[in-house]
Amino acid sequence: QVQFVESGGGLVQPGGSLRLSCAASGSIFSIIVMGWYRQAPGKQRELVARINLGGNTYYADSVKGRFTISRDNAKNTVYLQMNSLKSEDTAVYYCRADPAGSWGQGTQVTVSS
């Protein structure tokens, strides 16, 4: 089974940018849909963005126009470029194969002045 490791999180100021990476332990060519999720303390995990093999994407309204999901199948990696970050983007970010993939450890994103 393919496992994923999230990385790239950190502390940034409002308006700043981060690029998250989701590195797979094996090929992701067979994974049709990959998704990025986030979970803030005390809140439900929510879908942030999805991308399929054709490059079609979906974004939650809260991040639309600011975040970009992409995938490099040759590198077995999925990315989430986050721009114009807001304090409400603070959360642990996770990636998985949708809709029923397993969860990794996530990577912490903190947006604060």
Side-chain angles (χ1 to χ4, degrees):
Q1 184 176 354
V2 177
Q3 296 179 321
F4 297 94
V5 177
E6 301 93 339
S7 64
L11 174 64
V12 296
Q13 295 183 340
S17 298
L18 282 174
R19 186 178 71 170
L20 306 184
S21 296
C22 173
S25 62
S27 175
I28 62 171
F29 276 102
S30 63
I31 302 175
I32 299 174
V33 182
M34 289 291 301
W36 277 101
Y37 294 74
R38 67 186 182 188
Q39 186 169 26
K43 296 186 177 181
Q44 291 182 307
R45 191 167 299 183
E46 64 176 346
L47 174 66
V48 175
R50 279 178 172 150
I51 186 168
N52 67 14
L53 284 174
N56 299 112
T57 58
Y58 164 85
Y59 298 96
D61 288 341
S62 59
V63 307
K64 196 172 299 181
R66 300 187 297 118
F67 290 11
T68 303
I69 186 172
S70 61
R71 62 192 291 172
D72 187 335
N73 294 325
K75 294 183 178 180
N76 298 323
T77 303
V78 182
Y79 303 96
L80 184 68
Q81 178 67 47
M82 306 185 296
N83 299 324
S84 302
L85 284 163
K86 305 174 181 179
S87 60
E88 51 262 46
D89 295 319
T90 296
V92 178
Y93 284 71
Y94 303 87
C95 68
R96 73 163 187 178
D98 276 344
S102 61
W103 301 106
Q105 65 179 17
T107 185
Q108 176 72 50
V109 173
T110 303
V111 185
S112 180
S113 297

